[in-house]
Amino acid sequence: MIVKGRHYKTVWLEGSTVYIINQPLLPHKFEIMECPDHQRTARAISNMVIRGAGAIGSAGGFGLAQAVLEAPENDFTAYVDAAYESLAHTRPTAQNLFYSLKRVYEKVREAADPGQARVMAVKEAEAIALEDINACKKIGEIGAALIADNYKILTHCNAGWLAFTDWGTALSPMYVAKRENKNMFVWVDETRPRFQGARLTAWELKEEGIPFAVIADNAAGFYMQRGEVDLVIVGSDRIARNGDVANKIGTYEKAVLARENKIPFYVAAPTATIDWNCAHGGEIPIEERSGEEVTAISGRDEMNTIRSVCIAPEGAAARNPAFDVTPARFITGIITEKGIVKPHELKKLEGKGAA
Amino acid sequence: MIVKGRHYKTVWLEGSTVYIINQPLLPHKFEIMECPDHQRTARAISNMVIRGAGAIGSAGGFGLAQAVLEAPENDFTAYVDAAYESLAHTRPTAQNLFYSLKRVYEKVREAADPGQARVMAVKEAEAIALEDINACKKIGEIGAALIADNYKILTHCNAGWLAFTDWGTALSPMYVAKRENKNMFVWVDETRPRFQGARLTAWELKEEGIPFAVIADNAAGFYMQRGEVDLVIVGSDRIARNGDVANKIGTYEKAVLARENKIPFYVAAPTATIDWNCAHGGEIPIEERSGEEVTAISGRDEMNTIRSVCIAPEGAAARNPAFDVTPARFITGIITEKGIVKPHELKKLEGKGAA
């Protein structure tokens, strides 16, 4: 997508170097991190320099390809195996990461010799990234049809291109609609506690030139009630077979409010997000993170230094569930790369080939 | 209420000095500001050292009493009139302020001489503060009946004793229930953008020894959905004749979620909050404040200095409605000092004398 007028992906490979947009510095600084070897790429993943399902998947694939390029002929397999292990341990619950690593690793095993393995590993890693880009772009094209000219759209968290290799999911329909010359305005839920909306979504929209306003999560209902929200689109971390959707904490609140105010509520996600082994939302484990993410806030001070301030009384208890589950009945439709489906019709997509 | 084991009011008069708890320093520092003359009291009100309807009312009354004590015999009326004007201009929309000033001023005009005026002004200011305390305590006693042992209660913003002279409104039933030896647990909505929950409600509950957890406003629905909220109590800035309630932004969201999850949703407020001239919530003007309150956050840094950090991209647009209106149909009951009423039965209270 567009940053300072240029096209960027979240992560890419050039020669044997992986380049990654340094996300913890956003929106305060736009910086590309160079990872000249797979160890540095692994560290970038574990330090969350890059985050988001699709983006981590691509980074992992590129990281393993890097290791294959680096591996000495006389110790080839052991080197690649060790790299595989270290990359797999960077983010222990990232499905896309394991998926990418496995695909690249299988190509290496199919290869006749290290020379062929290097070519095939790079090609496979590039293919994985491209598939992510294409799925997201397709979601954008399909979802853009929901956006009428001059629509006001609410989104929660960051399901933008920073979370994927390019385009993103919830924001992709807006990026496509913009290229179709539609006007729109985006209400950006700041998304407490980690402010992915105020930090990342606002930054993406600003760079893309789409008008928006950051709002406290508390104000979303207010604008819905006033008729100033035409459509809600959010992303998803995991979708159960029955159409229940796990996503960033607060998504459930917006879904209930959207229904109360008769506003269409869409979830945008690649079909890879659907967990066919998960019968319903109650089976999705909800990560509880440190309460400090609620009480301590980091941002840039007047000297442009990033620092953290505490808002609550010293030692105040805080609870911090990272995700919630929105029951299928609140969801108007799920926008995937294979089309838009009602949540209870999700099964139609099972086993269906890529579009 | 209790701070560091001692009983405090938000504001009080001793001799000719007004003492005020310095609220902008909370929860980081507990400090009493001494206002030795009415000018200093006026400045404390306009700088929001003290905030909240009841607390401002008491402070204004005490401020004018101070002026009456200071006024020279040879220029008595002019001095008191000037003080009245300057106090009335500290917070231009605070109903309670005008009400208190008028009451004290009328006593001064009834007095035969400056000596008698001084006695009567102090007595009237004390009476105003006491009425506020009594109304809030009564709300607590009446509301405590709604709290069963081991209840988990959600509250939004700060309608605690810091907003009044003592006891508060939404928190008063909890304080009374605690004195009745009931156990309870309070979910404290942090209340973006200004964090009155995380800052003030958390601080009050901590000092009172009531267990609580601060949560992102986004997490309230999550805990409701899980059956971990038995009761919601919030305060109010203004109640329309039909039972629609204006309160801190986000209140409407919690009310909709409470109904969806079949959780009783109560509003606690003195009858003075009811605006009989206001037919319904649509007539209540909603203040829109600076977007900077959303994007810039103040707290204490690691050196214990209070400073502000910015979370959004530079120049990002933000919108900041300060209040919202919760339609009467979402409200289980309104807890007043005269009893609990259904919102559509509010008229029963009109003209009814104080309890």
Side-chain angles (χ1 to χ4, degrees), chain A residues 43-161:
Chain A
R43 223 177 303 142
I45 299 171
S46 67
N47 294 345
M48 297 179 74
V49 171
I50 188 162
R51 36 61 70 186
I56 288 176
S58 290
F62 287 135
L64 189 54
Q66 258 182 317
V68 176
L69 294 174
E70 295 156 11
E73 301 257 337
N74 59 357
D75 193 28
F76 189 79
T77 310
Y79 188 95
V80 170
D81 285 357
Y84 182 101
E85 280 309 309
S86 91
L87 283 158
H89 282 85
T90 49
R91 292 290 299 277
T93 54
Q95 284 304 331
N96 293 55
L97 178 64
F98 309 139
Y99 171 81
S100 300
L101 292 175
K102 263 183 211 152
R103 273 182 59 175
V104 173
Y105 190 74
E106 268 162 33
K107 289 291 167 191
V108 172
R109 294 192 25 162
E110 283 169 24
D113 56 58
Q116 197 190 9
R118 297 194 222 275
V119 174
M120 285 170 74
V122 169
K123 211 175 135 191
E124 192 66 10
E126 297 282 11
I128 292 165
L130 193 62
E131 285 165 28
D132 182 54
I133 294 169
N134 287 341
C136 285
K137 191 170 181 206
K138 193 82 197 167
I139 286 169
E141 288 163 0
I142 292 168
L146 300 171
I147 300 173
D149 203 30
N150 295 317
Y151 253 28
K152 291 183 173 177
I153 308 163
L154 176 81
T155 189
H156 191 71
C157 197
N158 176 258
W161 67 272

Side-chain angles (χ1 to χ4, degrees), chain A residues 124-247:
Chain A
E124 192 66 10
E126 297 282 11
I128 292 165
L130 193 62
E131 285 165 28
D132 182 54
I133 294 169
N134 287 341
C136 285
K137 191 170 181 206
K138 193 82 197 167
I139 286 169
E141 288 163 0
I142 292 168
L146 300 171
I147 300 173
D149 203 30
N150 295 317
Y151 253 28
K152 291 183 173 177
I153 308 163
L154 176 81
T155 189
H156 191 71
C157 197
N158 176 258
W161 67 272
L162 288 168
F164 293 84
T165 316
D166 205 347
W167 292 96
T169 55
L171 299 187
S172 185
M174 306 178 208
Y175 295 146
V176 172
K178 173 147 203 280
R179 282 155 183 73
E180 292 170 351
N181 294 315
K182 286 177 193 164
N183 292 312
M184 75 207 94
F185 175 86
V186 184
W187 295 110
V188 178
D189 268 0
E190 60 177 5
T191 318
R192 284 285 290 153
R194 299 190 68 185
F195 289 116
Q196 292 93 340
R199 288 180 202 278
L200 304 179
T201 298
W203 182 79
E204 286 193 22
L205 293 172
K206 198 173 169 225
E207 293 296 332
E208 278 280 326
I210 295 177
F212 69 92
V214 175
I215 54 173
D217 302 300
N218 279 328
F222 173 84
Y223 288 113
M224 288 190 197
Q225 194 186 25
R226 298 214 152 187
E228 294 195 49
V229 178
D230 298 301
L231 176 66
V232 183
I233 313 182
V234 300
S236 170
D237 290 273
R238 198 158 162 192
I239 301 176
R241 211 162 60 221
N242 74 338
D244 290 350
V245 165
N247 192 42

Side-chain angles (χ1 to χ4, degrees), chain B residues 209-248:
Chain B
I210 295 177
F212 69 92
V214 175
I215 53 173
D217 303 300
N218 279 328
F222 173 84
Y223 289 112
M224 287 191 197
Q225 195 186 24
R226 299 214 150 188
E228 294 194 50
V229 178
D230 298 300
L231 176 66
V232 184
I233 313 181
V234 300
S236 170
D237 289 89
R238 198 159 162 190
I239 301 176
R241 211 162 59 220
N242 74 337
D244 291 351
V245 165
N247 192 41
K248 185 63 57 207

Side-chain angles (χ1 to χ4, degrees), chain B residues 57-216:
Chain B
S58 290
F62 287 136
L64 188 53
Q66 257 182 317
V68 176
L69 294 174
E70 294 156 12
E73 301 259 334
N74 60 355
D75 193 29
F76 189 79
T77 310
Y79 188 95
V80 171
D81 285 356
Y84 182 101
E85 280 309 309
S86 90
L87 283 159
H89 282 85
T90 49
R91 292 291 298 280
T93 54
Q95 283 303 330
N96 293 55
L97 178 64
F98 309 139
Y99 171 80
S100 301
L101 292 175
K102 264 182 210 152
R103 274 182 59 175
V104 173
Y105 191 73
E106 269 163 30
K107 288 292 167 189
V108 172
R109 295 193 22 163
E110 283 170 24
D113 55 60
Q116 196 191 10
R118 297 192 224 276
V119 174
M120 286 170 74
V122 169
K123 210 174 136 190
E124 192 66 11
E126 297 283 12
I128 292 165
L130 192 63
E131 284 164 28
D132 182 54
I133 295 170
N134 287 342
C136 286
K137 191 171 181 208
K138 194 81 197 169
I139 286 170
E141 288 163 0
I142 293 169
L146 299 170
I147 300 174
D149 203 30
N150 294 317
Y151 253 27
K152 292 183 172 175
I153 308 162
L154 176 80
T155 189
H156 191 72
C157 197
N158 175 259
W161 67 271
L162 287 168
F164 293 84
T165 316
D166 206 347
W167 293 97
T169 55
L171 299 187
S172 185
M174 307 178 207
Y175 296 144
V176 172
K178 173 147 202 282
R179 281 155 184 72
E180 292 170 351
N181 293 314
K182 287 177 192 164
N183 292 310
M184 74 207 96
F185 175 87
V186 184
W187 296 110
V188 178
D189 268 2
E190 60 178 4
T191 318
R192 285 282 291 151
R194 299 191 68 185
F195 289 117
Q196 292 93 337
R199 288 180 203 277
L200 304 179
T201 298
W203 182 79
E204 286 192 25
L205 293 172
K206 197 171 171 229
E207 294 294 332
E208 278 280 326
I210 295 177
F212 69 92
V214 175
I215 53 173

Side-chain angles (χ1 to χ4, degrees), chain A residues 13 16-18 35-38 41 61-71:
Chain A
L13 180 71
S16 62
T17 301
V18 170
C35 303
D37 52 50
H38 83 272
T41 303
F62 287 135
L64 189 54
Q66 258 182 317
V68 176
L69 294 174
E70 295 156 11

